[in-house]
Short mmCIF file of all heavy atoms in Angstrom, two decimals:
data_model
loop_
_atom_site.label_atom_id
_atom_site.label_comp_id
_atom_site.label_asym_id
_atom_site.label_seq_id
_atom_site.Cartn_x
_atom_site.Cartn_y
_atom_site.Cartn_z
N TRP T 302 -7.93 31.10 -3.57
CA TRP T 302 -8.87 31.82 -4.44
C TRP T 302 -9.73 30.89 -5.23
O TRP T 302 -10.23 31.13 -6.29
CB TRP T 302 -8.05 32.75 -5.36
CG TRP T 302 -7.29 33.81 -4.71
CD1 TRP T 302 -6.05 33.66 -4.20
CD2 TRP T 302 -7.77 35.05 -4.31
NE1 TRP T 302 -5.71 34.86 -3.64
CE2 TRP T 302 -6.67 35.79 -3.67
CE3 TRP T 302 -8.90 35.77 -4.51
CZ2 TRP T 302 -6.76 37.09 -3.18
CZ3 TRP T 302 -9.04 37.08 -4.16
CH2 TRP T 302 -7.97 37.79 -3.44
N GLN T 303 -10.05 29.75 -4.62
CA GLN T 303 -10.81 28.80 -5.33
C GLN T 303 -12.31 29.11 -5.50
O GLN T 303 -13.01 28.50 -6.37
CB GLN T 303 -10.79 27.36 -4.52
CG GLN T 303 -9.40 26.76 -4.55
CD GLN T 303 -9.41 25.40 -3.81
OE1 GLN T 303 -10.34 25.06 -3.07
NE2 GLN T 303 -8.42 24.57 -4.13
N MET T 304 -12.84 29.95 -4.72
CA MET T 304 -14.29 30.24 -4.71
C MET T 304 -14.62 31.58 -5.37
O MET T 304 -15.72 32.11 -5.23
CB MET T 304 -14.89 30.22 -3.29
CG MET T 304 -14.60 28.92 -2.60
SD MET T 304 -15.52 27.55 -3.45
CE MET T 304 -17.19 27.99 -2.98
N VAL T 305 -13.66 32.16 -5.97
CA VAL T 305 -13.90 33.42 -6.70
C VAL T 305 -15.05 33.29 -7.63
O VAL T 305 -15.08 32.37 -8.48
CB VAL T 305 -12.67 34.00 -7.49
CG1 VAL T 305 -12.98 35.10 -8.35
CG2 VAL T 305 -11.61 34.37 -6.46
N ARG T 306 -16.02 34.30 -7.63
CA ARG T 306 -17.22 34.22 -8.37
C ARG T 306 -17.78 35.62 -8.65
O ARG T 306 -17.33 36.55 -7.90
CB ARG T 306 -18.22 33.27 -7.89
CG ARG T 306 -18.55 33.77 -6.43
CD ARG T 306 -19.61 32.93 -5.78
NE ARG T 306 -19.81 33.19 -4.42
CZ ARG T 306 -20.57 34.25 -3.94
NH1 ARG T 306 -21.22 35.04 -4.81
NH2 ARG T 306 -20.71 34.54 -2.65
N ALA T 307 -18.73 35.74 -9.45
CA ALA T 307 -19.47 37.02 -9.64
C ALA T 307 -20.43 37.02 -8.42
O ALA T 307 -21.06 36.02 -8.17
CB ALA T 307 -20.29 36.96 -10.92
N GLY T 308 -20.51 38.18 -7.78
CA GLY T 308 -21.41 38.32 -6.75
C GLY T 308 -21.55 39.73 -6.08
O GLY T 308 -21.31 40.72 -6.82
N CYS T 309 -21.97 39.75 -4.87
CA CYS T 309 -22.28 41.03 -4.22
C CYS T 309 -21.13 41.18 -3.12
O CYS T 309 -20.91 40.29 -2.38
CB CYS T 309 -23.59 40.97 -3.57
SG CYS T 309 -23.83 42.27 -2.28
N LEU T 310 -20.42 42.31 -3.21
CA LEU T 310 -19.29 42.48 -2.31
C LEU T 310 -19.58 42.40 -0.77
O LEU T 310 -18.73 41.96 0.05
CB LEU T 310 -18.48 43.76 -2.60
CG LEU T 310 -19.14 45.15 -2.45
CD1 LEU T 310 -19.43 45.58 -1.03
CD2 LEU T 310 -18.39 46.13 -3.26
N ALA T 311 -20.82 42.69 -0.42
CA ALA T 311 -21.24 42.64 0.96
C ALA T 311 -21.16 41.21 1.47
O ALA T 311 -20.92 40.99 2.71
CB ALA T 311 -22.59 43.21 1.15
N THR T 312 -21.23 40.24 0.65
CA THR T 312 -21.24 38.87 1.21
C THR T 312 -19.81 38.50 1.53
O THR T 312 -19.68 37.68 2.51
CB THR T 312 -21.73 37.82 0.10
OG1 THR T 312 -20.94 37.94 -1.18
CG2 THR T 312 -23.17 38.12 -0.29
N ASP T 313 -18.73 39.06 0.96
CA ASP T 313 -17.43 38.85 1.45
C ASP T 313 -17.23 39.41 2.90
O ASP T 313 -16.51 38.85 3.70
CB ASP T 313 -16.36 39.49 0.51
CG ASP T 313 -15.92 38.59 -0.63
OD1 ASP T 313 -16.16 37.28 -0.55
OD2 ASP T 313 -15.36 39.07 -1.59
N LEU T 314 -17.84 40.52 3.12
CA LEU T 314 -17.79 41.12 4.39
C LEU T 314 -18.46 40.26 5.47
O LEU T 314 -17.99 40.07 6.55
CB LEU T 314 -18.42 42.51 4.50
CG LEU T 314 -17.54 43.61 3.88
CD1 LEU T 314 -18.40 44.88 3.64
CD2 LEU T 314 -16.33 43.96 4.70
N MET T 315 -19.65 39.79 5.07
CA MET T 315 -20.42 38.84 5.97
C MET T 315 -19.57 37.67 6.36
O MET T 315 -19.55 37.13 7.44
CB MET T 315 -21.77 38.48 5.39
CG MET T 315 -22.76 39.57 5.20
SD MET T 315 -23.24 40.43 6.73
CE MET T 315 -22.40 41.94 6.63
N TYR T 316 -18.86 37.20 5.29
CA TYR T 316 -18.11 35.98 5.45
C TYR T 316 -16.96 36.19 6.50
O TYR T 316 -16.77 35.39 7.41
CB TYR T 316 -17.51 35.53 4.11
CG TYR T 316 -17.43 34.08 3.91
CD1 TYR T 316 -18.32 33.34 3.09
CD2 TYR T 316 -16.42 33.32 4.50
CE1 TYR T 316 -18.31 32.00 2.92
CE2 TYR T 316 -16.32 31.94 4.32
CZ TYR T 316 -17.17 31.31 3.45
OH TYR T 316 -17.08 29.90 3.30
N LEU T 317 -16.27 37.29 6.31
CA LEU T 317 -15.17 37.58 7.29
C LEU T 317 -15.75 37.76 8.65
O LEU T 317 -15.15 37.18 9.61
CB LEU T 317 -14.47 38.79 6.81
CG LEU T 317 -13.45 39.44 7.85
CD1 LEU T 317 -12.25 38.44 7.92
CD2 LEU T 317 -12.94 40.76 7.45
N ILE T 318 -16.67 38.56 8.82
CA ILE T 318 -17.22 38.87 10.12
C ILE T 318 -17.76 37.65 10.83
O ILE T 318 -17.50 37.38 12.00
CB ILE T 318 -18.29 39.97 10.03
CG1 ILE T 318 -17.64 41.32 9.64
CG2 ILE T 318 -19.06 40.16 11.37
CD1 ILE T 318 -18.66 42.35 9.14
N PHE T 319 -18.58 36.86 10.18
CA PHE T 319 -19.29 35.73 10.90
C PHE T 319 -18.55 34.46 10.99
O PHE T 319 -18.84 33.57 11.76
CB PHE T 319 -20.76 35.53 10.28
CG PHE T 319 -21.58 36.66 10.62
CD1 PHE T 319 -21.84 37.71 9.76
CD2 PHE T 319 -22.14 36.77 11.90
CE1 PHE T 319 -22.68 38.78 10.14
CE2 PHE T 319 -22.95 37.85 12.32
CZ PHE T 319 -23.28 38.86 11.36
N THR T 320 -17.47 34.38 10.18
CA THR T 320 -16.54 33.16 10.33
C THR T 320 -15.37 33.51 11.24
O THR T 320 -14.72 32.60 11.76
CB THR T 320 -16.04 32.68 9.05
OG1 THR T 320 -15.23 33.72 8.47
CG2 THR T 320 -17.11 32.23 8.13
N GLY T 321 -15.08 34.80 11.39
CA GLY T 321 -13.90 35.21 12.15
C GLY T 321 -14.04 35.78 13.49
O GLY T 321 -13.06 35.87 14.22
N SER T 322 -15.31 36.28 13.89
CA SER T 322 -15.43 37.00 15.06
C SER T 322 -16.42 36.31 15.97
O SER T 322 -17.35 35.57 15.54
CB SER T 322 -15.89 38.43 14.74
OG SER T 322 -17.19 38.47 14.21
N ASP T 323 -16.33 36.74 17.19
CA ASP T 323 -17.34 36.27 18.29
C ASP T 323 -18.27 37.49 18.51
O ASP T 323 -18.08 38.59 18.03
CB ASP T 323 -16.64 35.78 19.50
CG ASP T 323 -15.80 36.75 20.16
OD1 ASP T 323 -15.85 37.95 19.86
OD2 ASP T 323 -15.01 36.38 21.08
N ALA T 324 -19.28 37.26 19.43
CA ALA T 324 -20.32 38.20 19.75
C ALA T 324 -19.65 39.51 20.34
O ALA T 324 -20.13 40.56 20.14
CB ALA T 324 -21.40 37.66 20.62
N ALA T 325 -18.59 39.26 21.20
CA ALA T 325 -17.96 40.37 21.86
C ALA T 325 -17.35 41.32 20.89
O ALA T 325 -17.45 42.53 20.98
CB ALA T 325 -17.02 39.89 22.95
N PHE T 326 -16.65 40.75 19.86
CA PHE T 326 -16.07 41.65 18.83
C PHE T 326 -17.11 42.40 18.11
O PHE T 326 -16.97 43.62 17.91
CB PHE T 326 -15.25 40.75 17.80
CG PHE T 326 -14.74 41.52 16.62
CD1 PHE T 326 -13.45 42.07 16.74
CD2 PHE T 326 -15.51 41.72 15.55
CE1 PHE T 326 -12.94 42.91 15.68
CE2 PHE T 326 -15.03 42.47 14.41
CZ PHE T 326 -13.82 43.08 14.58
N ARG T 327 -18.18 41.77 17.69
CA ARG T 327 -19.25 42.42 16.94
C ARG T 327 -19.90 43.46 17.74
O ARG T 327 -20.26 44.62 17.24
CB ARG T 327 -20.21 41.44 16.38
CG ARG T 327 -19.69 40.45 15.39
CD ARG T 327 -20.73 39.63 14.71
NE ARG T 327 -21.41 38.70 15.57
CZ ARG T 327 -21.01 37.56 15.94
NH1 ARG T 327 -19.90 37.11 15.46
NH2 ARG T 327 -21.74 36.75 16.72
N ALA T 328 -20.04 43.25 19.03
CA ALA T 328 -20.66 44.26 19.92
C ALA T 328 -19.84 45.58 19.95
O ALA T 328 -20.39 46.71 20.02
CB ALA T 328 -20.91 43.75 21.32
N SER T 329 -18.58 45.43 19.90
CA SER T 329 -17.67 46.51 19.93
C SER T 329 -17.31 47.18 18.61
O SER T 329 -17.12 48.40 18.45
CB SER T 329 -16.29 46.17 20.66
OG SER T 329 -16.60 45.74 21.96
N HIS T 330 -17.26 46.31 17.54
CA HIS T 330 -16.63 46.74 16.25
C HIS T 330 -17.49 46.54 15.08
O HIS T 330 -17.00 46.93 13.92
CB HIS T 330 -15.31 46.05 16.10
CG HIS T 330 -14.39 46.20 17.26
ND1 HIS T 330 -13.81 47.53 17.67
CD2 HIS T 330 -13.76 45.28 18.12
CE1 HIS T 330 -13.01 47.35 18.61
NE2 HIS T 330 -12.95 45.94 19.02
N TYR T 331 -18.63 46.00 15.08
CA TYR T 331 -19.29 45.57 13.82
C TYR T 331 -19.55 46.85 13.00
O TYR T 331 -19.11 46.83 11.73
CB TYR T 331 -20.64 44.94 14.14
CG TYR T 331 -21.55 44.63 12.96
CD1 TYR T 331 -21.24 43.49 12.16
CD2 TYR T 331 -22.61 45.39 12.58
CE1 TYR T 331 -22.01 43.18 11.08
CE2 TYR T 331 -23.33 45.13 11.46
CZ TYR T 331 -23.10 44.05 10.71
OH TYR T 331 -23.80 43.68 9.57
N THR T 332 -20.17 47.84 13.43
CA THR T 332 -20.49 49.05 12.69
C THR T 332 -19.19 49.72 12.21
O THR T 332 -19.09 50.17 11.05
CB THR T 332 -21.32 49.98 13.47
OG1 THR T 332 -22.66 49.36 13.88
CG2 THR T 332 -21.70 51.29 12.64
N ALA T 333 -18.26 49.85 13.09
CA ALA T 333 -17.02 50.54 12.72
C ALA T 333 -16.22 49.78 11.68
O ALA T 333 -15.59 50.35 10.83
CB ALA T 333 -16.14 50.70 14.01
N LEU T 334 -16.36 48.41 11.61
CA LEU T 334 -15.63 47.72 10.62
C LEU T 334 -16.31 47.89 9.17
O LEU T 334 -15.60 48.02 8.22
CB LEU T 334 -15.63 46.24 10.96
CG LEU T 334 -14.82 45.24 10.11
CD1 LEU T 334 -13.26 45.73 10.26
CD2 LEU T 334 -14.90 43.81 10.48
N LEU T 335 -17.61 47.96 9.16
CA LEU T 335 -18.32 48.28 7.93
C LEU T 335 -17.90 49.66 7.44
O LEU T 335 -17.68 49.84 6.21
CB LEU T 335 -19.75 48.11 8.09
CG LEU T 335 -20.33 46.81 8.54
CD1 LEU T 335 -21.84 46.86 8.64
CD2 LEU T 335 -20.02 45.77 7.51
N GLU T 336 -17.81 50.63 8.33
CA GLU T 336 -17.39 51.94 7.92
C GLU T 336 -16.00 52.00 7.44
O GLU T 336 -15.61 52.65 6.46
CB GLU T 336 -17.45 52.83 9.16
CG GLU T 336 -18.96 53.16 9.65
CD GLU T 336 -19.73 53.95 8.60
OE1 GLU T 336 -19.19 54.80 7.87
OE2 GLU T 336 -20.95 53.69 8.55
N GLU T 337 -15.09 51.22 8.11
CA GLU T 337 -13.65 51.07 7.69
C GLU T 337 -13.62 50.51 6.31
O GLU T 337 -12.76 50.91 5.52
CB GLU T 337 -12.88 50.35 8.69
CG GLU T 337 -11.45 50.11 8.40
CD GLU T 337 -10.63 51.35 8.32
OE1 GLU T 337 -11.04 52.41 8.78
OE2 GLU T 337 -9.44 51.37 7.95
N TYR T 338 -14.37 49.46 6.07
CA TYR T 338 -14.32 48.86 4.74
C TYR T 338 -14.68 49.85 3.62
O TYR T 338 -13.98 49.98 2.64
CB TYR T 338 -15.26 47.58 4.66
CG TYR T 338 -15.52 47.25 3.18
CD1 TYR T 338 -14.53 46.42 2.58
CD2 TYR T 338 -16.49 47.66 2.45
CE1 TYR T 338 -14.64 46.12 1.21
CE2 TYR T 338 -16.71 47.36 1.12
CZ TYR T 338 -15.82 46.62 0.46
OH TYR T 338 -15.92 46.28 -0.84
N TYR T 339 -15.80 50.65 3.85
CA TYR T 339 -16.22 51.50 2.77
C TYR T 339 -15.22 52.61 2.59
O TYR T 339 -14.92 53.10 1.55
CB TYR T 339 -17.61 52.05 3.02
CG TYR T 339 -18.19 52.76 1.90
CD1 TYR T 339 -18.53 52.20 0.69
CD2 TYR T 339 -18.24 54.20 1.92
CE1 TYR T 339 -19.04 52.81 -0.40
CE2 TYR T 339 -18.76 54.90 0.84
CZ TYR T 339 -19.02 54.18 -0.33
OH TYR T 339 -19.56 54.88 -1.48
N ARG T 340 -14.59 53.13 3.70
CA ARG T 340 -13.55 54.17 3.58
C ARG T 340 -12.38 53.61 2.78
O ARG T 340 -11.92 54.30 1.93
CB ARG T 340 -13.13 54.53 5.07
CG ARG T 340 -12.14 55.70 5.06
CD ARG T 340 -11.65 55.92 6.55
NE ARG T 340 -10.79 54.97 6.98
CZ ARG T 340 -9.42 54.94 6.68
NH1 ARG T 340 -8.88 55.83 5.81
NH2 ARG T 340 -8.61 54.01 7.14
N GLN T 341 -11.97 52.39 3.03
CA GLN T 341 -10.86 51.74 2.39
C GLN T 341 -11.20 51.55 0.91
O GLN T 341 -10.41 51.72 -0.09
CB GLN T 341 -10.47 50.51 3.00
CG GLN T 341 -9.80 50.62 4.36
CD GLN T 341 -8.46 51.13 4.28
OE1 GLN T 341 -7.81 51.35 3.22
NE2 GLN T 341 -7.84 51.48 5.46
N LEU T 342 -12.47 51.14 0.65
CA LEU T 342 -12.90 51.01 -0.79
C LEU T 342 -12.83 52.27 -1.54
O LEU T 342 -12.33 52.27 -2.66
CB LEU T 342 -14.35 50.42 -0.77
CG LEU T 342 -14.89 50.20 -2.25
CD1 LEU T 342 -14.16 49.06 -2.98
CD2 LEU T 342 -16.36 49.82 -2.19
N CYS T 343 -13.34 53.38 -0.95
CA CYS T 343 -13.28 54.64 -1.64
C CYS T 343 -11.84 55.02 -1.95
O CYS T 343 -11.53 55.59 -3.00
CB CYS T 343 -14.03 55.69 -0.78
SG CYS T 343 -15.75 55.52 -0.64
N ALA T 344 -10.93 54.80 -0.97
CA ALA T 344 -9.58 55.21 -1.18
C ALA T 344 -8.89 54.36 -2.24
O ALA T 344 -8.21 54.91 -3.10
CB ALA T 344 -8.82 55.02 0.15
N ALA T 345 -9.26 53.03 -2.32
CA ALA T 345 -8.73 52.19 -3.31
C ALA T 345 -9.28 52.56 -4.71
O ALA T 345 -8.47 52.56 -5.71
CB ALA T 345 -9.05 50.78 -2.99
N LEU T 346 -10.59 52.96 -4.80
CA LEU T 346 -11.10 53.41 -6.08
C LEU T 346 -10.47 54.66 -6.54
O LEU T 346 -10.10 54.83 -7.77
CB LEU T 346 -12.64 53.62 -5.91
CG LEU T 346 -13.44 52.33 -5.75
CD1 LEU T 346 -14.94 52.67 -5.38
CD2 LEU T 346 -13.42 51.50 -7.07
N ARG T 347 -10.28 55.61 -5.65
CA ARG T 347 -9.58 56.87 -6.03
C ARG T 347 -8.13 56.60 -6.59
O ARG T 347 -7.70 57.34 -7.49
CB ARG T 347 -9.55 57.82 -4.94
CG ARG T 347 -11.00 58.33 -4.48
CD ARG T 347 -10.98 59.47 -3.50
NE ARG T 347 -12.33 59.76 -3.08
CZ ARG T 347 -12.85 59.46 -1.86
NH1 ARG T 347 -12.14 58.69 -1.02
NH2 ARG T 347 -14.06 59.79 -1.58
N ARG T 348 -7.48 55.67 -5.97
CA ARG T 348 -6.08 55.35 -6.43
C ARG T 348 -6.21 54.78 -7.83
O ARG T 348 -5.11 54.93 -8.53
CB ARG T 348 -5.40 54.40 -5.44
CG ARG T 348 -5.02 55.02 -4.13
CD ARG T 348 -4.10 53.97 -3.37
NE ARG T 348 -4.72 52.84 -2.92
CZ ARG T 348 -5.28 52.65 -1.68
NH1 ARG T 348 -5.35 53.62 -0.85
NH2 ARG T 348 -5.79 51.50 -1.37
N LEU T 349 -7.23 54.18 -8.26
CA LEU T 349 -7.42 53.68 -9.59
C LEU T 349 -8.11 54.69 -10.50
O LEU T 349 -8.57 54.31 -11.57
CB LEU T 349 -8.20 52.45 -9.53
CG LEU T 349 -7.56 51.27 -8.71
CD1 LEU T 349 -8.50 50.09 -8.45
CD2 LEU T 349 -6.34 50.74 -9.47
N LYS T 350 -8.12 55.93 -10.06
CA LYS T 350 -8.70 57.04 -10.83
C LYS T 350 -10.25 56.90 -11.09
O LYS T 350 -10.71 57.26 -12.19
CB LYS T 350 -8.04 57.18 -12.20
CG LYS T 350 -6.46 57.29 -12.09
CD LYS T 350 -5.96 58.44 -11.20
CE LYS T 350 -4.47 58.56 -11.34
NZ LYS T 350 -3.70 57.48 -10.77
N LEU T 351 -10.94 56.30 -10.17
CA LEU T 351 -12.37 56.13 -10.22
C LEU T 351 -13.12 56.93 -9.14
O LEU T 351 -12.45 57.03 -8.01
CB LEU T 351 -12.70 54.64 -10.03
CG LEU T 351 -12.25 53.66 -11.11
CD1 LEU T 351 -12.48 52.24 -10.80
CD2 LEU T 351 -12.82 54.03 -12.45
N ASP T 352 -14.18 57.51 -9.47
CA ASP T 352 -15.03 58.23 -8.53
C ASP T 352 -15.91 57.26 -7.73
O ASP T 352 -16.86 56.68 -8.44
CB ASP T 352 -15.77 59.28 -9.28
CG ASP T 352 -16.66 60.15 -8.34
OD1 ASP T 352 -16.67 59.96 -7.14
OD2 ASP T 352 -17.57 60.90 -8.94
N PRO T 353 -15.85 57.15 -6.37
CA PRO T 353 -16.65 56.22 -5.76
C PRO T 353 -18.19 56.49 -5.84
O PRO T 353 -18.94 55.64 -5.84
CB PRO T 353 -16.21 56.50 -4.25
CG PRO T 353 -14.85 56.91 -4.34
CD PRO T 353 -14.81 57.70 -5.52
N GLU T 354 -18.55 57.83 -5.95
CA GLU T 354 -19.96 58.21 -6.08
C GLU T 354 -20.48 57.78 -7.40
O GLU T 354 -21.66 57.43 -7.48
CB GLU T 354 -20.15 59.73 -5.88
CG GLU T 354 -20.03 60.15 -4.47
CD GLU T 354 -21.21 59.50 -3.67
OE1 GLU T 354 -22.31 59.44 -4.02
OE2 GLU T 354 -20.84 58.98 -2.57
N ALA T 355 -19.70 57.65 -8.39
CA ALA T 355 -20.15 57.22 -9.76
C ALA T 355 -20.12 55.65 -9.81
O ALA T 355 -21.01 55.05 -10.45
CB ALA T 355 -19.27 57.83 -10.78
#
Side-chain angles (χ1 to χ4, degrees):
W302 297 90
Q303 293 184 341
M304 300 298 288
V305 168
R306 57 178 171 81
C309 167
L310 59 76
T312 60
D313 270 346
L314 282 168
M315 295 299 104
Y316 216 104
L317 172 68
I318 292 168
F319 288 99
T320 63
S322 71
D323 59 15
F326 174 90
R327 294 190 296 275
S329 298
H330 303 300
Y331 177 78
T332 300
L334 190 61
L335 299 178
E336 293 293 331
E337 177 65 9
Y338 166 82
Y339 190 71
R340 185 183 73 81
Q341 292 285 354
L342 178 66
C343 290
L346 288 170
R347 293 188 185 102
R348 289 192 292 266
L349 297 169
K350 311 300 190 291
L351 296 173
D352 178 6
E354 282 301 312

